Amino acid sequence: MDNLGSNTVALDTANDVAAAALQTDGLGCHAGKERLRSAAEAAGMSDTLGQYAKDYPQGPHDQPQSMCPAFGSLRVGLRMRRTAMVLSGSACCVYGLTFTSHFYGAKRTVGYVPFNSETLVTGKLFEDIRDAVHALADPETYDAIVVINLCVPTASGVPLRLLPKEINGVRVIGIDVPGFGVPTHAEAKDVLAGAMLRFARLEAEQGPVQAPRAPRAGKPTISLLGEMFPADPMQIGAMLDLMGLAAGPVTPTREWRELYGALDCAAVAAIHPFYASCVREFEAAGRAVVGSAPVGHDGTAAWLEAIGAACNVARETIDAAKNRLLPAIKGALSAAPISGRVTLSGYEGSELLVGRLLVESGADLRYVGTACARTRFSEADRDWLEAKGVHVQFRASLEQDFAAFDEFKPDLAIGTTPVVQKAKQNATPALYFTNLISARPLMGVAGAGSLAKVVNTAIANRARFDEMNDFFEGVGKGFAAGVWQDVPRDRPEFAKKQRAKTAAKPIEEMGAC
């Protein structure tokens, strides 16, 4: 992790500095979301927070329980060539985000501009950020520099909008990604991807721009919106080829000049439906946006129809493509059936698509929970699932996921880490959605049979869970878990005393990060 700017501080010192700032300004993560939000609005951030509230509506509860949202934006930038990422925030937050990034395979430096209460309040932090950006702006190395304000600088109104738009030919993009304004890390991907699309769109409107690395397709292209398994764009491209179309770049892109190629399309396929900022930029460029995805038999048929209509493809061409693809997909689904009751939840944004595929594979799917918000591009998937008797929960909380598990008693729970933990504690097979389900092909013929093996294998392991449960029966639970010579004695009077203390002095809300 690099320390950038005029204040080069070792990590321990940075932690001390950040701790002092939090004690002085009162706007650390411990202050609670409402106080942070009020401070940000007072500091002139009302427009930004208002736009986030429209793009990523919260509720029925305020925020899903997931990792720091800023990780989504950081991940997008770290996956792009020739892009520098700089964080401005409390040292503990920067450390955690950097650790998580490297845990997920990033091999790039994360820049950090430290601050203290004095530099935060006097505006010196902004000057330090500006100096850091100038020091990084080497056109031989970078196409763009991205600066991300975390909770404390956002709440304090550090004005990244005043940074130069370009230095030595290197683009500079400043965004605010506070935990009290952006609900999930999935939606934070959209914050940065949308900001980059806007910058690229304005550049293209002003004159010629650099051509994408890949040659032009020679056919009208469909830009793909949402991170996908690497094989899925190729599957989609093969399907589009049957209608005289081609797959364009995937947004978030892997390189700046791919943004121009993404904008230069006939239509956009919102594979993940929550990219509100990106949709706004594509629509500003005059591009039609189509929801859902070619998953399963019904999903593929509806998607081909929608794409064909958006691109004025002839009826006979659409029908020919459907006649070519749909029997093969139906055959793949019937060749790899899934048998068992399943509940499904996650925070990637593709949960409804996976749900459709599970149902068409024969699974008795009862519940789909997603941390993302309901949008106009998720309506077709929601309608289809609910028509099949599946309960769909947008902005699902962990408590709702747990309640679904308790109510439906599935043979397999697919979900987030705590859902998987709860299931296994109840001797129920479980799979982590992000690593074991969403990281598989879902589209077309390849996707039709991709889930059956892993799902059926997991369900078949139920007997092993029962065997382990029997073996460990009697070792204790909760405070008495384990094997003891003298089993610990419960102390309900201590618990009662602690509850009384908590009721008398409520703990301030956590979760600004």
Side-chain angles (χ1 to χ4, degrees), residues 183-475:
T184 68
H185 81 281
E187 287 155 317
K189 296 175 185 177
D190 176 52
V191 173
L192 179 53
M196 288 183 162
L197 271 177
R198 176 175 173 77
F199 203 117
R201 178 175 64 81
L202 295 176
E203 285 183 326
E205 289 175 355
Q206 292 169 5
V209 293
Q210 187 178 23
R213 188 184 301 268
R216 293 175 66 91
K219 303 176 182 178
T221 60
I222 306 299
S223 291
L224 308 178
L225 189 52
E227 289 187 318
M228 284 172 277
F229 185 78
D232 279 337
M234 292 187 287
Q235 287 291 317
I236 292 173
M239 289 185 271
L240 291 171
D241 185 63
L242 298 175
M243 297 198 298
L245 304 171
V250 176
T251 302
T253 63
R254 296 301 184 93
E255 189 173 17
W256 183 270
R257 53 184 170 171
E258 287 181 0
L259 293 163
Y260 308 129
L263 289 161
D264 183 22
C265 64
V268 179
I271 304 298
H272 288 190
F274 58 84
Y275 280 83
S277 178
C278 289
V279 165
R280 185 164 53 251
E281 296 306 320
F282 279 120
E283 291 183 335
R287 310 306 185 221
V289 182
V290 175
S292 193
V295 291
H297 177 277
D298 293 359
T300 300
W303 190 80
L304 291 173
E305 286 282 352
I307 291 293
C311 298
N312 296 314
V313 177
R315 165 50 51 190
E316 56 269 24
T317 303
I318 298 173
D319 290 342
K322 290 166 67 176
N323 291 336
R324 174 82 175 273
L325 293 167
L326 298 183
I329 292 173
K330 183 170 284 189
L333 289 167
S334 61
I338 294 173
S339 178
R341 181 176 297 175
V342 180
T343 58
L344 167 67
S345 56
Y347 45 62
E348 300 297 337
S350 57
E351 291 76 26
L352 275 66
L353 300 180
V354 173
R356 292 188 67 147
L357 201 51
L358 287 170
V359 170
E360 288 208 41
S361 298
D364 178 17
L365 183 66
R366 299 297 183 92
Y367 171 85
V368 173
T370 176
C372 295
R374 178 176 173 177
T375 77
R376 56 190 164 116
F377 300 112
S378 59
E379 287 299 276
D381 299 324
R382 181 189 66 85
D383 291 343
W384 189 92
L385 286 166
E386 290 186 345
K388 303 293 183 182
V390 181
H391 176 76
V392 178
Q393 180 64 59
F394 294 98
R395 284 282 186 251
S397 67
L398 182 58
E399 291 77 14
Q400 287 168 322
D401 293 343
F402 283 172
F405 176 84
D406 293 333
E407 178 180 354
F408 298 119
K409 297 178 173 53
D411 300 307
L412 173 70
I414 300 173
T416 57
T417 303
V419 172
V420 169
Q421 180 183 20
K422 176 180 174 66
K424 291 183 176 180
Q425 286 176 336
N426 285 272
T428 299
L431 296 171
Y432 178 39
F433 181 87
T434 298
N435 287 2
L436 298 176
I437 300 298
S438 71
R440 294 178 178 275
L442 301 176
M443 313 298 165
V445 178
S450 67
L451 299 181
K453 184 175 182 180
V454 66
V455 169
N456 287 332
T457 300
I459 291 175
N461 280 334
R462 182 64 179 258
R464 296 174 63 189
F465 278 91
D466 292 337
E467 183 179 350
M468 286 190 293
N469 215 33
D470 292 340
F471 180 81
F472 287 105
E473 185 67 30
V475 299

